[in-house]
Amino acid sequence: MAPFLEEPSTHPEFSSKPKFDGGLLDLPNRKEHNIQYEPGRTYVEGHDEYEYDDLRPAFPDVHWEPLKEVPYHDRGTKGDPQFRNLLSDATDIFDYNPKIGTEIDGINLAKLTDTQKDDLARLISTRGVVFFRNQTDLDIDAQRELGQYFGHLHKHATTAAPRRGGLDDIHVVYTDEKSKNQRANFSPTFLWHSDVTYEMQPPSYTSLKVLTGPSRGGGGDTLWASQYAVYDLLSPGMQKYLEGLEALHSAQIQADGSIALGRTVRREPVITKHPLIRTHPVTGWKSVFFNPGFVTDIIGIPKAEANAIIHYLNELITTTQEIQVRFQWQKHDVAFWDNRICNHSASYGFAPHRRHALRVATQAERPYFDPTSKSQEEEMNARYGLPKVSKDGSSQSNYND
């Protein structure tokens, strides 16, 4: 368990009288600071009267029919390429790095117009994940309504839903001081995933709002990795090879985990075949569509070769820093990402803090590949006159810190 600091009930008083301490005279005009700091320790909030008790996790004992295909029309195709409707209310916008991650200030997600929502979808499609701070107006009903604008909401077959009824399409993330640390159960690469890619129509636009979490510096960050950028890391020969392959995505591991805990699997687990390289309908960019958590095999090639590709893609996603973004949450912050083009991973190390968040995910189109589509790097380099990236190891320079 990580060390923690209980917040003091009173602040120390400082005397204005000179005092002798260790050979230094503390004069009246010497500035006193009321800053209390312990390295690696953060204040742990108490929750005797928890305002989100009705949104804590429950595992309903119900059974659902298999999912059927539903129409999907990506709202991002109607968004303004310069995002002018969305940014008309913004006070600041900045990218975390060139490949992925953008934060916008001044936007109230609960009060967006339809044209602003369309711009938001286009921005998420372009940047992978977009962050919004302090969205106090976006309660669960508003978050759900915003998700429904983008399409049919996904209902998870095994994970927790809120205690409050009628919210089966809300996924609850919840850990408190009584929860066991599960770090030893998973490898770090396995924790990276894209949500429910085993479905026939895996999610697109997905929002996660943190209701309760560690104070700043207390851990519990989330990381995202761009699969546009993973595609661009590959050599032209590898890109071409993977464009002809399909991967199997399986729900069986999640189902087996729920059964082992004595919980109901609300919908029969499925195994679905998806292209390993897909095209995004809004940007037209190619991306790898690979999931370290759910991909079990690659079809039509020897097992040893499939395992090598799986290992290689795992390594690119989880260890290539320039394609990743890391977000340090505060209460009421929202991340909005596109599961079609991002993998993400939670991080451990926030015990004994309570961490409570709600996720809403929209079902998207069946993954497809258009051989005439371009890569993100190809289009952006042409747009801004940037040099072609060397992929053969030539012309290297030492840029290490």
Side-chain angles (χ1 to χ4, degrees):
M1 182 175 289
F4 63 94
L5 176 67
E6 292 290 352
E7 189 175 54
S9 57
T10 58
H11 295 287
E13 299 293 334
F14 290 92
S15 171
S16 61
K17 297 180 181 180
K19 60 184 178 181
F20 190 77
D21 182 12
L24 296 175
L25 185 64
D26 196 0
L27 300 174
N29 63 351
R30 181 180 173 185
K31 186 177 180 180
E32 297 288 356
H33 295 279
N34 195 22
I35 295 176
Q36 299 184 28
Y37 171 69
E38 290 289 336
R41 296 191 177 193
T42 50
Y43 164 67
V44 178
E45 183 180 2
H47 300 287
D48 293 336
E49 298 290 335
Y50 190 50
E51 60 180 313
Y52 303 114
D53 194 64
D54 63 328
L55 299 176
R56 288 173 66 184
F59 296 89
D61 184 12
V62 296
H63 295 274
W64 301 327
E65 293 297 316
L67 290 177
K68 297 180 180 179
E69 189 165 6
V70 295
Y72 179 74
H73 305 286
D74 200 308
R75 296 287 186 175
T77 59
K78 298 181 178 180
D80 179 70
Q82 280 74 49
F83 319 108
R84 286 169 289 199
N85 303 298
L86 179 65
L87 298 183
S88 63
D89 291 335
T91 57
D92 192 20
I93 179 171
F94 57 92
D95 293 340
Y96 278 58
N97 67 60
K99 295 295 185 182
I100 184 173
T102 298
E103 185 168 322
I104 305 181
D105 296 334
I107 299 293
N108 187 334
L109 290 175
K111 297 182 179 180
L112 296 179
T113 65
D114 286 354
T115 56
Q116 288 179 316
K117 294 172 187 176
D118 294 341
D119 281 8
L120 174 59
R122 191 177 188 95
L123 181 60
I124 297 167
S125 298
T126 304
R127 295 295 301 158
V129 57
V130 183
F131 306 113
F132 301 88
R133 300 284 185 180
N134 198 31
Q135 297 293 309
T136 54
D137 289 341
L138 194 77
D139 61 17
I140 187 53
D141 299 308
Q143 184 182 358
R144 188 170 179 267
E145 182 179 352
L146 180 57
Q148 287 174 322
Y149 178 81
F150 299 115
H152 186 79
L153 299 187
H154 177 262
K155 294 176 14 176
H156 204 294
T158 60
T159 59
R163 289 180 176 179
R164 187 205 306 177
L167 297 174
D168 287 342
D169 46 19
I170 306 299
H171 166 72
V172 179
V173 177
Y174 186 86
T175 305
D176 63 18
E177 60 281 357
K178 297 178 182 178
S179 301
K180 294 181 180 179
N181 190 323
Q182 299 188 65
R183 183 183 307 173
N185 295 340
F186 307 101
S187 68
T189 58
F190 182 80
L191 286 174
W192 282 91
H193 67 283
S194 178
D195 294 329
V196 297
T197 57
Y198 47 74
E199 302 290 21
M200 176 174 51
Q201 295 176 267
S204 54
Y205 307 114
T206 302
S207 65
L208 184 70
K209 177 179 178 178
V210 167
L211 304 177
T212 302
S215 54
R216 189 170 60 181
D221 302 349
T222 303
L223 297 87
W224 285 262
S226 168
Q227 298 210 75
Y228 286 146
V230 174
Y231 179 86
D232 282 320
L233 291 172
L234 304 172
S235 67
M238 181 62 80
Q239 289 173 342
K240 189 68 175 176
Y241 173 52
L242 297 187
E243 286 173 7
L245 297 178
E246 295 178 307
L248 293 180
H249 298 243
S250 175
Q252 195 63 52
I253 296 174
Q254 283 190 333
D256 291 344
S258 291
I259 292 170
L261 293 170
R263 296 171 181 163
T264 300
V265 177
R266 300 186 287 274
R267 190 168 51 239
E268 286 298 310
V270 295
I271 299 176
T272 307
K273 179 175 61 176
H274 292 309
L276 196 52
I277 307 297
R278 71 184 294 176
T279 300
H280 196 286
V282 176
T283 63
W285 293 338
K286 299 175 183 178
S287 79
V288 170
F289 189 56
F290 178 79
N291 192 328
F294 300 142
V295 168
T296 57
D297 200 5
I298 297 174
I299 301 169
I301 59 176
K303 184 64 175 175
E305 192 171 316
N307 288 346
I309 294 171
I310 289 171
H311 175 78
Y312 178 49
L313 293 177
N314 273 340
E315 184 175 15
L316 291 181
I317 290 166
T318 61
T319 66
T320 310
Q321 295 91 344
E322 67 265 27
I323 71 168
Q324 297 177 357
V325 62
R326 182 173 186 135
F327 187 60
Q328 188 178 73
W329 297 93
Q330 296 286 279
K331 284 184 179 181
H332 304 299
D333 290 348
V334 173
F336 232 125
W337 72 93
D338 192 334
N339 269 289
R340 295 170 291 189
I341 53 172
C342 289
N343 275 285
H344 61 279
S345 178
S347 62
Y348 288 113
F350 57 88
H353 298 281
R354 177 172 296 187
R355 189 171 182 273
H356 188 188
L358 302 176
R359 188 188 75 198
V360 175
T362 302
Q363 291 180 231
E365 77 281 358
R366 283 178 178 259
Y368 69 95
F369 174 66
D370 178 0
T372 66
S373 54
K374 296 182 178 181
S375 80
Q376 180 189 49
E377 194 166 74
E378 181 183 6
E379 182 170 311
M380 300 301 280
N381 285 1
R383 182 182 302 175
Y384 299 117
L386 300 175
K388 186 177 180 179
V389 175
S390 171
K391 295 186 178 181
D392 60 5
S394 63
S395 304
Q396 292 186 6
S397 62
N398 184 4
Y399 61 89
N400 292 328
D401 291 341

